[in-house]
Amino acid sequence: MTIQGVQGEERDDYTKEESRALRTRSQRLLLELVRPHRAKLVGIAALVVVATGMTVAGPAILAFGIDVALPALQRSDATPLWVAGGGYIVAAIVSGIAFYAFTVGTARVSQAVLLTLRRRLFDHTQRLSLEFHEQYTSGRIIARQTSDLESIRDLLDQGLNELVRGVLFMTFTAIAMIALDPTSGLVILAALVPAILLTRWFQSRSTVLFRETRTTSAQMIVKFVETMTGIRAVKAFRTEPENERDFGGKVEAYRDANFRTIQIFGIYEPGIMAIGALTIAAVVTVGAFRVVNGDLAVGSLLAVALYARTFFQPIQGIGMFFNGYQSAAAALEKISGVLEERPTVPEPRAPRALPEARGAIDFDEVEFSYATGKVVLPGFDLSIPAGQTIALVGTTGAGKSTLAKLVSRFYDPSAGSVRLDGVDLRELPDDDLRRAVVMVTQEAYLFSGTVADNIALGKPDATDDEIEAAARAVGAHEFIEALPDGYGTDVNKRGGRVSAGQRQLLSFARAFLADPRVLILDEATASLDIPSERLVQEGLTTLLADRTAIIIAHRLSTVAIADRVLVMEHGRIIEDGSPTELIELGGKFASLHRAWRDSLV
Amino acid sequence: MPPASSAPQPHQRPKIIPALSRVMPFLRPVIGRFIAGIATALVAAVVALLIPVALRWLVDGPLTSGDQALIWIGGIAILLLGLTEAVFVFLRRLFVTLPSTAVEATMRQTLYAKLQRLPIAFHDRWQSGQLLSRAVGDLGMMRRFFAFGAVIFITNLLTLVIGLGILLAWSPLLGALFIVTSIPIVVIAFRFEQSYHQVARRAQDQQGDLATAVEQSVHGIRVLKAFGRGRTALEGFERQAEALRSTELTKARSEAMLWMWLTIIPFVSYAVCLVVGIWLVAEGQLTVGELVGFLSTAVVLNWPIESLGFLFAFAIDAANASVRLFEVLDAEEDIVDPEEPRTIAAPRGRLVFDDVHFRYQDAASGERDLVDGATLAIEPGETMALVGVTGSGKTTLTALPGRLYDVTDGRVTLDGVDVRDLSLEELRTHVAMAFEDATLFSASVRDNVLMGARERTDEVVAEALQVAQASFVHDLPEGLDTTIGEEGLSLSGGQRQRLALARAVAAKPAVLVLDDPLSALDVETEALVEDALRHVLASTTALIVAHRPSTVQLADRVALMRDGRIDDVGTHSELLARNDHYVHVIASLEEAQRDRQDLEQVATGAFQQVDASVDAARREEDR
């Protein structure tokens, strides 16, 4: 078992060393994120010190007013009174402005950190290879980007704020009390002992409960999302009552965990208040005796009473901080795990520019196996001259898609090399590679935006004319024109509902617009109806005339336009030749072809 | 950006009270405990206000007289008051926590149940991220508000009234001064309320949009990678993240401004009270004890005053959450059980589309209906293939018998009964569907297959898997018990399709509706599935959307759909003989075989040469 990257993310039985490693990893990430803002953070810290100091000065000024200014006034000296009043107002304004600057400053830093983290996560997940995405479900990446970032944000925005302000407030209050009256100061410090013990109890209990809250809420969310995305199947197969029971159980589990979390806070908070009550009673009683004995002024008694009253207020905020910290720490562990994943298909360190691409592809003793050890291609050699159209035929699992993914560098070979015009794909800069090689797959994904935007994905700087020409080339122009706003129709909006076949036409138009040297079609016509397929093929005959193409299709009609057919089985090529040759040969392809022709009648 | 995500409504300022009072039906069952919660909170607050009273009594009484025994009494009084406050705070939580989490859970289940009942058309408009943020974030927000915010809000207001009363009683002049200097807080809090809700709502929506962008970048990862558009996607994402950041900063500035005034104003009013108070003491109009009591009461009142601002923001957030929740709960369920459902005792499976029309509610007035007067009768046990070009309305038509959408005109009948007169439960028992994009759920293979089955036995599973040629499941790590779906093993498109088909077969319905169910299968598997499916279809009424002649082979008759209507119905060969459009749609190469000359004009001409050369070669051999 390992905790490298995202592995073991769902476990909750980490050994001590593993937890330590996870913690170090998340702390490293946090430091990295915060480091650029050091200067700002120092400024913010200074602001809190000033603001808190001014707040704590309040009761001392009240004491000064009663103990010094009042007797002075009775002697007709109003100066100390004005000093007390003026001092109070200055303290108020300074701390008000400092709090403003502090709040805005914290928000700036936390938002900047979040923006960096969001960007890094997004960029990183985009770089991670398909192999990663096939295992790590989309829901988890979305959770990293949303709820996990949210808890980090809570920590940065409120948690830290509470902690820093709370600790400073308590420290300053203690100092002020000791300065005003050391005896009362000792009482407060003594009261701190049970308060700290109670806080530690709260902290350890809430850690456990908090984790439970997170697990139960995650289960609830998964169920919810699954129901909503699969609502058609839910309705068609009448699983609503069962879902409701199941979801109800998960809601109840979450409610219970949440309830217990809140409940221990319900013990902690009054507990701290009781300690506070003891403290204030002790301070006032001891103080009162000393006032009677003349050891303490009345104003000072008021001040220490007020200090004792407010002393424990922030401790709850500090307790809350640890809650927030727990969830942020868990979030950071997972995020740092994703960021630790290395793309198995990395960008080259020293890229070699692609000479004017012609489109010749060579497989040189290529082996490919999955991380699980399953061998898909055992030692594979193939040379595709520039401009040739290849059709790959064979049953599911024969390795056709793997071959296509190796050419488009969705995967890297485990051994051997794949070369484009003599350059190893691993040495090509991504931009050059993507310009030269484009793959169209069966799942034609549309992004939100207009139809034109979606086609323009093939060439972001395309003009409207170019977009339309691409759409015409694949026969998509007509149906696009029939949409409410033509090319400007939003694919998610009213009337923008496009069928699976239409989506596939749009993704073809994308590929046409991209105008690559090498085009790979992986089952790209599966959802097309025959007239559309015919149109696409007309377009393909022109498009493929002078470029390299690899076509994977179950429907042999698509194979018809190929110069050369490769029949694959168990990762090996068992037949290789022109369609005519292979049919004459009377092998696998010939029998497939016969079966297909029979199916047409 | 994604327009569908930011649910279509203008950002009107929610009226806090009306928005929150809509939640009352959920609160009613626990209202007693809430009132008890408020009562205990109030007691705690009043007790807290009594501590300064005790302090004043101490200063003016024993401290002046020097009576040490009385000091003990004063100290013990303060202790008891403090402990009482703590006990009542404990009680408040005890009363409120359980019902508040229970209310949250009930609302969540209500929302979920409502969403399951809402028609597909609703789900087409709303992205799951937007629904999720309501089910989790918004409901949690409301729970916190009712458990904490609302209780504190009410008690703080009452505390303020009582506290100000005490202040006025001790010294009308000082009390009045304190009130006057505190009034700006109310004004500022009110103005804050006016502006904060908008920016808060904007932030919520932008977060939803950002989540959508992430979702799309992950679901569309293959496209982004294939075209090397990761950077474009990143730039778009950055723009959105930047927009959210600037909204968050606006929000922070607005909050910071509130905090600033909430710090400055009370302190200024203490300063004023201190100066005037000392002057009053010096003039002999006030005792020192009264001044001490007054100032410590004013300090106690600091929190209720200060909290007004954040409680306002809290209330606004909760009101926003309530509005967002009711956007869903108020949505119309237009596909519901009939009031007096009819029932079909022994379904035979005669499915009739009678001049059926369908258009989306939000379709523009000039648009043609998607299904525009389709009439078709499928006899019991008959298999009907539905053929037509992309966009002719085939998929929409298949969604109508199971009432995923309701017809906008005309009717669909099953054994003579309008499908809208059957309960949904019964209807969907009779009609089972498999869709082109197969959805699997996080559950075992077995449970996924048995989703709609009445008989939940292993024989049913085995039979259905056999029909769908899904024997691959036995090679999965735990066979039939392997968890698949989002939380489990991911399967290929073809594997998912076969399981979805198995699911429809296992339901053993009277009517089977299949939307291009074999599109992701390879030729050999497809042939095997078709052979197996033929037995099932012999006794089941079926409507199958077909793109391929091979799928059409399964059918007894074929219905040709064109521009939302059924253009022609007949056997495959009848249609080939009489309908040019059918030939255009289905028979690209068949036509070629019959008339080699025409093949020149047909685009996929390559095979003509292939076939010709093969034939030539064969002739050579024959000779």
Side-chain angles (χ1 to χ4, degrees), chain A residues 119 126 139 226-227 235 238 396 457 494 497 527-529 533-534 537 554-555 560 580 600-601, chain B residues 112 116 118 225 229 238 362 390 428 436 442 486 522-523 526 548 553 584 590 604 606-607 613:
Chain A
R119 194 194 170 283
Q126 284 295 313
E226 213 169 50
T227 310
K235 284 182 180 283
R238 318 174 308 282
T396 312
L457 204 86
R494 180 183 73 77
R497 304 174 182 95
S527 302
L528 293 184
D529 55 47
E533 189 177 351
R534 202 152 48 204
Q537 283 189 11
H554 295 138
R555 320 280 165 205
T580 322
L600 293 180
V601 189
Chain B
Y112 182 81
Q116 289 207 102
L118 279 167
K225 276 196 184 291
R229 292 288 168 256
E238 271 179 336
D362 52 4
T390 292
R428 289 172 185 164
E436 196 190 356
S442 299
E486 180 76 5
D522 62 62
V523 181
E526 184 183 337
R548 309 284 151 188
Q553 299 296 309
H584 168 73
E590 203 162 14
T604 49
F607 255 115
S613 55

Short mmCIF file of all heavy atoms in Angstrom, two decimals, chain A residues 119 126 139 226-227 235 238 396 457 494 497 527-529 533-534 537 554-555 560 580 600-601, chain B residues 112 116 118 225 229 238 362 390 428 436 442 486 522-523 526 548 553 584 590 604 606-607 613:
data_model
loop_
_atom_site.label_atom_id
_atom_site.label_comp_id
_atom_site.label_asym_id
_atom_site.label_seq_id
_atom_site.Cartn_x
_atom_site.Cartn_y
_atom_site.Cartn_z
N ARG A 119 -5.91 27.45 -10.23
CA ARG A 119 -5.25 27.44 -11.52
C ARG A 119 -4.31 26.25 -11.62
O ARG A 119 -4.29 25.53 -12.61
CB ARG A 119 -4.46 28.75 -11.68
CG ARG A 119 -4.02 29.02 -13.07
CD ARG A 119 -2.98 30.12 -13.11
NE ARG A 119 -2.42 30.16 -14.45
CZ ARG A 119 -1.53 29.30 -14.89
NH1 ARG A 119 -1.08 28.34 -14.12
NH2 ARG A 119 -1.08 29.38 -16.14
N GLN A 126 -5.40 18.96 -16.29
CA GLN A 126 -5.40 18.94 -17.75
C GLN A 126 -4.16 18.25 -18.29
O GLN A 126 -4.19 17.62 -19.34
CB GLN A 126 -5.46 20.37 -18.31
CG GLN A 126 -6.83 21.01 -18.22
CD GLN A 126 -7.85 20.28 -19.09
OE1 GLN A 126 -7.60 19.98 -20.23
NE2 GLN A 126 -9.00 20.00 -18.51
N GLY A 139 -16.02 13.01 -10.71
CA GLY A 139 -16.63 13.53 -9.49
C GLY A 139 -15.58 13.91 -8.47
O GLY A 139 -15.70 14.92 -7.78
N GLU A 226 -25.42 11.15 -8.70
CA GLU A 226 -25.68 10.02 -9.58
C GLU A 226 -27.15 9.96 -9.99
O GLU A 226 -27.48 9.70 -11.15
CB GLU A 226 -25.29 8.74 -8.87
CG GLU A 226 -24.76 7.71 -9.82
CD GLU A 226 -24.13 6.56 -9.08
OE1 GLU A 226 -24.78 6.02 -8.16
OE2 GLU A 226 -23.00 6.21 -9.40
N THR A 227 -28.02 10.22 -9.03
CA THR A 227 -29.45 10.21 -9.36
C THR A 227 -29.77 11.28 -10.39
O THR A 227 -30.49 11.04 -11.34
CB THR A 227 -30.29 10.47 -8.10
OG1 THR A 227 -29.85 9.60 -7.08
CG2 THR A 227 -31.76 10.24 -8.37
N LYS A 235 -36.07 7.14 -13.84
CA LYS A 235 -37.49 7.20 -14.13
C LYS A 235 -37.94 5.98 -14.92
O LYS A 235 -38.97 5.38 -14.62
CB LYS A 235 -37.83 8.47 -14.90
CG LYS A 235 -37.84 9.70 -14.02
CD LYS A 235 -38.23 10.92 -14.81
CE LYS A 235 -38.24 12.16 -13.95
NZ LYS A 235 -39.42 12.24 -13.08
N ARG A 238 -38.10 3.04 -12.62
CA ARG A 238 -38.90 3.21 -11.41
C ARG A 238 -38.11 2.97 -10.14
O ARG A 238 -38.58 2.33 -9.21
CB ARG A 238 -40.10 2.24 -11.42
CG ARG A 238 -40.79 2.10 -12.75
CD ARG A 238 -41.85 1.05 -12.74
NE ARG A 238 -41.40 -0.23 -12.25
CZ ARG A 238 -40.69 -1.11 -12.95
NH1 ARG A 238 -40.32 -0.83 -14.18
NH2 ARG A 238 -40.34 -2.25 -12.41
N THR A 396 -13.19 -6.17 -30.34
CA THR A 396 -12.94 -5.36 -29.17
C THR A 396 -11.78 -5.97 -28.38
O THR A 396 -11.74 -7.18 -28.20
CB THR A 396 -14.20 -5.35 -28.27
OG1 THR A 396 -15.31 -5.09 -29.11
CG2 THR A 396 -14.11 -4.30 -27.19
N LEU A 457 -13.06 25.10 -31.71
CA LEU A 457 -12.10 24.45 -30.84
C LEU A 457 -10.97 23.83 -31.65
O LEU A 457 -9.84 23.71 -31.19
CB LEU A 457 -12.80 23.36 -30.04
CG LEU A 457 -12.15 22.99 -28.74
CD1 LEU A 457 -12.63 23.92 -27.65
CD2 LEU A 457 -12.47 21.56 -28.38
N ARG A 494 -32.13 26.68 -25.13
CA ARG A 494 -33.34 26.46 -25.89
C ARG A 494 -33.04 26.11 -27.35
O ARG A 494 -32.36 26.83 -28.06
CB ARG A 494 -34.13 27.77 -25.86
CG ARG A 494 -35.42 27.78 -26.58
CD ARG A 494 -35.99 29.18 -26.47
NE ARG A 494 -35.29 30.13 -27.31
CZ ARG A 494 -35.47 30.22 -28.61
NH1 ARG A 494 -36.30 29.44 -29.21
NH2 ARG A 494 -34.81 31.12 -29.31
N ARG A 497 -30.61 21.66 -28.30
CA ARG A 497 -30.45 20.24 -28.02
C ARG A 497 -30.09 19.52 -29.31
O ARG A 497 -30.85 19.48 -30.26
CB ARG A 497 -31.76 19.68 -27.46
CG ARG A 497 -32.23 20.44 -26.24
CD ARG A 497 -33.59 19.95 -25.80
NE ARG A 497 -34.06 20.72 -24.66
CZ ARG A 497 -34.87 21.77 -24.76
NH1 ARG A 497 -35.29 22.18 -25.96
NH2 ARG A 497 -35.27 22.40 -23.69
N SER A 527 -22.34 6.75 -34.33
CA SER A 527 -23.70 7.22 -34.07
C SER A 527 -24.34 7.90 -35.28
O SER A 527 -25.42 8.46 -35.18
CB SER A 527 -23.72 8.20 -32.91
OG SER A 527 -23.21 7.61 -31.77
N LEU A 528 -23.63 7.91 -36.39
CA LEU A 528 -24.18 8.63 -37.55
C LEU A 528 -25.19 7.75 -38.27
O LEU A 528 -25.02 6.54 -38.37
CB LEU A 528 -23.06 9.00 -38.51
CG LEU A 528 -22.05 10.02 -38.01
CD1 LEU A 528 -21.07 10.35 -39.13
CD2 LEU A 528 -22.76 11.28 -37.55
N ASP A 529 -26.22 8.39 -38.80
CA ASP A 529 -27.10 7.62 -39.66
C ASP A 529 -26.45 7.53 -41.03
O ASP A 529 -25.46 8.21 -41.32
CB ASP A 529 -28.50 8.25 -39.71
CG ASP A 529 -28.43 9.69 -40.13
OD1 ASP A 529 -27.74 9.99 -41.11
OD2 ASP A 529 -29.07 10.53 -39.46
N GLU A 533 -23.36 9.60 -42.61
CA GLU A 533 -22.09 8.91 -42.78
C GLU A 533 -21.60 9.07 -44.21
O GLU A 533 -20.42 9.28 -44.47
CB GLU A 533 -22.28 7.43 -42.44
CG GLU A 533 -20.97 6.68 -42.39
CD GLU A 533 -21.14 5.23 -41.99
OE1 GLU A 533 -22.26 4.85 -41.58
OE2 GLU A 533 -20.17 4.48 -42.10
N ARG A 534 -22.56 9.01 -45.12
CA ARG A 534 -22.21 9.16 -46.54
C ARG A 534 -21.61 10.54 -46.79
O ARG A 534 -20.58 10.66 -47.44
CB ARG A 534 -23.49 8.99 -47.36
CG ARG A 534 -23.25 8.61 -48.78
CD ARG A 534 -24.42 7.82 -49.31
NE ARG A 534 -25.71 8.47 -48.99
CZ ARG A 534 -26.86 7.82 -48.92
NH1 ARG A 534 -26.91 6.52 -49.10
NH2 ARG A 534 -27.97 8.46 -48.63
N GLN A 537 -18.21 10.72 -45.34
CA GLN A 537 -17.23 10.02 -46.15
C GLN A 537 -16.87 10.77 -47.42
O GLN A 537 -15.72 10.75 -47.85
CB GLN A 537 -17.75 8.62 -46.48
CG GLN A 537 -17.59 7.73 -45.28
CD GLN A 537 -17.88 6.29 -45.58
OE1 GLN A 537 -18.00 5.91 -46.74
NE2 GLN A 537 -17.99 5.51 -44.54
N HIS A 554 -16.14 -0.22 -36.72
CA HIS A 554 -16.79 -1.52 -36.76
C HIS A 554 -17.54 -1.69 -38.07
O HIS A 554 -17.73 -2.79 -38.55
CB HIS A 554 -17.77 -1.67 -35.59
CG HIS A 554 -17.09 -1.65 -34.27
ND1 HIS A 554 -17.59 -0.97 -33.19
CD2 HIS A 554 -15.92 -2.20 -33.86
CE1 HIS A 554 -16.76 -1.12 -32.17
NE2 HIS A 554 -15.76 -1.86 -32.55
N ARG A 555 -18.00 -0.58 -38.58
CA ARG A 555 -18.78 -0.63 -39.83
C ARG A 555 -17.80 -0.64 -40.99
O ARG A 555 -17.03 0.29 -41.16
CB ARG A 555 -19.65 0.62 -39.98
CG ARG A 555 -20.29 1.07 -38.72
CD ARG A 555 -21.50 0.28 -38.40
NE ARG A 555 -21.85 0.54 -37.01
CZ ARG A 555 -22.53 -0.31 -36.26
NH1 ARG A 555 -22.92 -1.45 -36.75
NH2 ARG A 555 -22.83 -0.01 -35.01
N ALA A 560 -14.02 1.23 -46.45
CA ALA A 560 -13.94 1.24 -47.90
C ALA A 560 -12.98 2.29 -48.47
O ALA A 560 -12.39 2.07 -49.52
CB ALA A 560 -15.33 1.44 -48.49
N THR A 580 -8.82 -5.07 -51.40
CA THR A 580 -8.99 -6.07 -52.45
C THR A 580 -8.14 -7.29 -52.16
O THR A 580 -8.61 -8.43 -52.23
CB THR A 580 -8.58 -5.47 -53.82
OG1 THR A 580 -9.01 -4.12 -53.84
CG2 THR A 580 -9.18 -6.25 -54.95
N LEU A 600 -26.39 -6.30 -44.89
CA LEU A 600 -27.01 -5.16 -45.56
C LEU A 600 -28.33 -5.52 -46.22
O LEU A 600 -29.13 -4.66 -46.52
CB LEU A 600 -26.06 -4.60 -46.63
CG LEU A 600 -24.79 -3.95 -46.09
CD1 LEU A 600 -23.94 -3.45 -47.24
CD2 LEU A 600 -25.13 -2.81 -45.15
N VAL A 601 -28.52 -6.80 -46.46
CA VAL A 601 -29.72 -7.18 -47.24
C VAL A 601 -30.97 -7.18 -46.36
O VAL A 601 -30.89 -7.60 -45.23
CB VAL A 601 -29.53 -8.57 -47.87
CG1 VAL A 601 -30.67 -8.87 -48.84
CG2 VAL A 601 -28.20 -8.59 -48.63
N TYR B 112 -34.93 16.09 -2.63
CA TYR B 112 -34.52 14.94 -3.45
C TYR B 112 -35.74 14.27 -4.08
O TYR B 112 -35.75 13.98 -5.28
CB TYR B 112 -33.76 13.96 -2.55
CG TYR B 112 -33.21 12.73 -3.25
CD1 TYR B 112 -32.02 12.79 -3.96
CD2 TYR B 112 -33.87 11.51 -3.17
CE1 TYR B 112 -31.50 11.67 -4.57
CE2 TYR B 112 -33.36 10.39 -3.78
CZ TYR B 112 -32.17 10.47 -4.47
OH TYR B 112 -31.66 9.36 -5.08
N GLN B 116 -36.73 13.92 -8.03
CA GLN B 116 -37.00 12.66 -8.72
C GLN B 116 -38.35 12.70 -9.43
O GLN B 116 -38.54 12.03 -10.42
CB GLN B 116 -36.99 11.49 -7.73
CG GLN B 116 -35.61 11.16 -7.21
CD GLN B 116 -35.49 9.70 -6.81
OE1 GLN B 116 -34.95 8.89 -7.52
NE2 GLN B 116 -36.02 9.38 -5.66
N LEU B 118 -39.74 15.56 -10.64
CA LEU B 118 -39.77 16.57 -11.70
C LEU B 118 -39.47 15.94 -13.06
O LEU B 118 -38.69 15.00 -13.16
CB LEU B 118 -38.77 17.68 -11.40
CG LEU B 118 -39.27 18.71 -10.39
CD1 LEU B 118 -38.14 19.59 -9.91
CD2 LEU B 118 -40.38 19.56 -11.00
N LYS B 225 -7.56 17.24 -25.04
CA LYS B 225 -6.23 16.68 -25.29
C LYS B 225 -6.01 16.46 -26.79
O LYS B 225 -4.96 16.78 -27.31
CB LYS B 225 -6.06 15.36 -24.54
CG LYS B 225 -5.64 15.57 -23.10
CD LYS B 225 -5.11 14.27 -22.52
CE LYS B 225 -4.77 14.42 -21.05
NZ LYS B 225 -3.62 15.28 -20.80
N ARG B 229 -6.04 21.70 -26.61
CA ARG B 229 -6.67 22.96 -26.22
C ARG B 229 -6.68 23.17 -24.70
O ARG B 229 -7.48 23.92 -24.18
CB ARG B 229 -8.10 23.01 -26.73
CG ARG B 229 -8.20 23.11 -28.23
CD ARG B 229 -7.80 24.48 -28.76
NE ARG B 229 -7.65 24.40 -30.20
CZ ARG B 229 -6.48 24.36 -30.83
NH1 ARG B 229 -5.36 24.42 -30.16
NH2 ARG B 229 -6.43 24.27 -32.15
N GLU B 238 -9.46 30.51 -15.98
CA GLU B 238 -8.82 31.60 -15.23
C GLU B 238 -9.69 32.85 -15.23
O GLU B 238 -9.80 33.52 -14.22
CB GLU B 238 -7.46 31.92 -15.83
CG GLU B 238 -6.36 31.09 -15.24
CD GLU B 238 -5.02 31.40 -15.87
OE1 GLU B 238 -4.98 31.90 -17.02
OE2 GLU B 238 -4.01 31.13 -15.22
N ASP B 362 -40.09 25.73 -24.15
CA ASP B 362 -39.39 26.99 -24.44
C ASP B 362 -39.04 27.13 -25.91
O ASP B 362 -38.23 27.95 -26.29
CB ASP B 362 -38.13 27.08 -23.57
CG ASP B 362 -37.26 25.84 -23.69
OD1 ASP B 362 -37.61 24.95 -24.50
OD2 ASP B 362 -36.24 25.75 -23.00
N THR B 390 -30.89 11.97 -38.83
CA THR B 390 -30.63 12.71 -37.60
C THR B 390 -31.52 13.94 -37.53
O THR B 390 -31.63 14.68 -38.51
CB THR B 390 -29.15 13.15 -37.60
OG1 THR B 390 -28.37 11.98 -37.47
CG2 THR B 390 -28.86 14.08 -36.47
N ARG B 428 -44.45 2.40 -16.35
CA ARG B 428 -43.03 2.11 -16.55
C ARG B 428 -42.69 0.66 -16.23
O ARG B 428 -41.59 0.20 -16.51
CB ARG B 428 -42.19 3.11 -15.75
CG ARG B 428 -42.28 4.50 -16.39
CD ARG B 428 -41.66 5.59 -15.59
NE ARG B 428 -41.91 6.90 -16.24
CZ ARG B 428 -41.76 8.05 -15.65
NH1 ARG B 428 -41.36 8.10 -14.39
NH2 ARG B 428 -42.02 9.18 -16.30
N GLU B 436 -29.17 5.31 -25.79
CA GLU B 436 -27.89 5.21 -26.47
C GLU B 436 -26.74 5.51 -25.51
O GLU B 436 -25.76 4.78 -25.48
CB GLU B 436 -27.85 6.19 -27.65
CG GLU B 436 -26.74 5.86 -28.58
CD GLU B 436 -26.52 6.92 -29.62
OE1 GLU B 436 -27.28 7.89 -29.65
OE2 GLU B 436 -25.58 6.77 -30.39
N SER B 442 -23.65 3.51 -9.27
CA SER B 442 -22.66 2.94 -8.35
C SER B 442 -23.31 1.81 -7.56
O SER B 442 -23.84 2.04 -6.48
CB SER B 442 -22.14 3.99 -7.38
OG SER B 442 -21.52 5.01 -8.08
N GLU B 486 -19.78 5.39 -11.16
CA GLU B 486 -18.89 6.47 -10.73
C GLU B 486 -18.00 6.07 -9.56
O GLU B 486 -16.85 6.42 -9.49
CB GLU B 486 -19.73 7.70 -10.35
CG GLU B 486 -18.96 8.91 -9.89
CD GLU B 486 -18.30 9.67 -11.03
OE1 GLU B 486 -18.50 9.32 -12.22
OE2 GLU B 486 -17.57 10.61 -10.75
N ASP B 522 -19.10 -3.86 -31.66
CA ASP B 522 -18.46 -4.23 -32.92
C ASP B 522 -19.36 -5.22 -33.68
O ASP B 522 -20.32 -5.76 -33.13
CB ASP B 522 -17.06 -4.80 -32.69
CG ASP B 522 -17.08 -6.05 -31.87
OD1 ASP B 522 -17.67 -7.04 -32.32
OD2 ASP B 522 -16.53 -6.03 -30.75
N VAL B 523 -19.05 -5.41 -34.94
CA VAL B 523 -19.94 -6.14 -35.83
C VAL B 523 -20.26 -7.53 -35.30
O VAL B 523 -21.41 -7.96 -35.28
CB VAL B 523 -19.32 -6.23 -37.23
CG1 VAL B 523 -20.26 -6.97 -38.17
CG2 VAL B 523 -19.02 -4.85 -37.76
N GLU B 526 -22.38 -7.40 -32.19
CA GLU B 526 -23.70 -6.94 -32.58
C GLU B 526 -24.52 -8.10 -33.16
O GLU B 526 -25.68 -8.30 -32.80
CB GLU B 526 -23.58 -5.82 -33.61
CG GLU B 526 -24.92 -5.23 -33.99
CD GLU B 526 -24.82 -4.16 -35.07
OE1 GLU B 526 -23.73 -3.58 -35.22
OE2 GLU B 526 -25.82 -3.92 -35.75
N ARG B 548 -28.88 1.21 -38.78
CA ARG B 548 -28.19 0.26 -39.65
C ARG B 548 -29.17 -0.75 -40.21
O ARG B 548 -30.09 -1.17 -39.50
CB ARG B 548 -27.15 -0.53 -38.85
CG ARG B 548 -26.22 0.29 -38.06
CD ARG B 548 -25.19 0.92 -38.94
NE ARG B 548 -24.79 2.17 -38.31
CZ ARG B 548 -24.01 3.06 -38.88
NH1 ARG B 548 -23.55 2.86 -40.09
NH2 ARG B 548 -23.71 4.17 -38.27
N GLN B 553 -32.99 -5.52 -39.46
CA GLN B 553 -33.28 -6.94 -39.65
C GLN B 553 -34.07 -7.54 -38.48
O GLN B 553 -34.77 -8.52 -38.64
CB GLN B 553 -31.97 -7.74 -39.78
CG GLN B 553 -31.11 -7.34 -40.95
CD GLN B 553 -31.77 -7.61 -42.27
OE1 GLN B 553 -32.24 -8.71 -42.52
NE2 GLN B 553 -31.81 -6.61 -43.13
N HIS B 584 -32.69 6.34 -49.37
CA HIS B 584 -31.67 7.32 -49.06
C HIS B 584 -31.15 7.14 -47.63
O HIS B 584 -29.96 7.23 -47.36
CB HIS B 584 -32.26 8.73 -49.25
CG HIS B 584 -31.41 9.83 -48.69
ND1 HIS B 584 -30.26 10.23 -49.28
CD2 HIS B 584 -31.58 10.59 -47.58
CE1 HIS B 584 -29.72 11.20 -48.58
NE2 HIS B 584 -30.49 11.45 -47.53
N GLU B 590 -26.73 -1.09 -50.29
CA GLU B 590 -27.61 -2.09 -50.83
C GLU B 590 -28.01 -1.70 -52.25
O GLU B 590 -27.98 -2.50 -53.18
CB GLU B 590 -28.86 -2.16 -49.97
CG GLU B 590 -29.57 -3.45 -50.07
CD GLU B 590 -30.49 -3.59 -48.89
OE1 GLU B 590 -30.73 -2.57 -48.21
OE2 GLU B 590 -30.97 -4.68 -48.67
N THR B 604 -19.55 6.41 -51.22
CA THR B 604 -18.63 5.37 -50.79
C THR B 604 -18.29 4.44 -51.93
O THR B 604 -18.35 3.22 -51.82
CB THR B 604 -19.26 4.56 -49.66
OG1 THR B 604 -20.58 4.22 -50.08
CG2 THR B 604 -19.32 5.35 -48.40
N ALA B 606 -15.73 3.40 -53.17
CA ALA B 606 -14.55 2.55 -53.14
C ALA B 606 -14.90 1.06 -53.18
O ALA B 606 -14.24 0.28 -53.86
CB ALA B 606 -13.73 2.86 -51.91
N PHE B 607 -15.97 0.73 -52.45
CA PHE B 607 -16.29 -0.69 -52.38
C PHE B 607 -16.75 -1.26 -53.70
O PHE B 607 -16.67 -2.46 -53.94
CB PHE B 607 -17.34 -0.96 -51.29
CG PHE B 607 -16.72 -1.58 -50.10
CD1 PHE B 607 -16.69 -0.93 -48.88
CD2 PHE B 607 -16.11 -2.83 -50.20
CE1 PHE B 607 -16.09 -1.50 -47.79
CE2 PHE B 607 -15.51 -3.41 -49.12
CZ PHE B 607 -15.49 -2.74 -47.91
N SER B 613 -13.57 -5.97 -58.30
CA SER B 613 -12.32 -6.69 -58.50
C SER B 613 -12.38 -8.08 -57.87
O SER B 613 -11.83 -9.04 -58.40
CB SER B 613 -11.14 -5.89 -57.96
OG SER B 613 -11.38 -5.57 -56.61
#
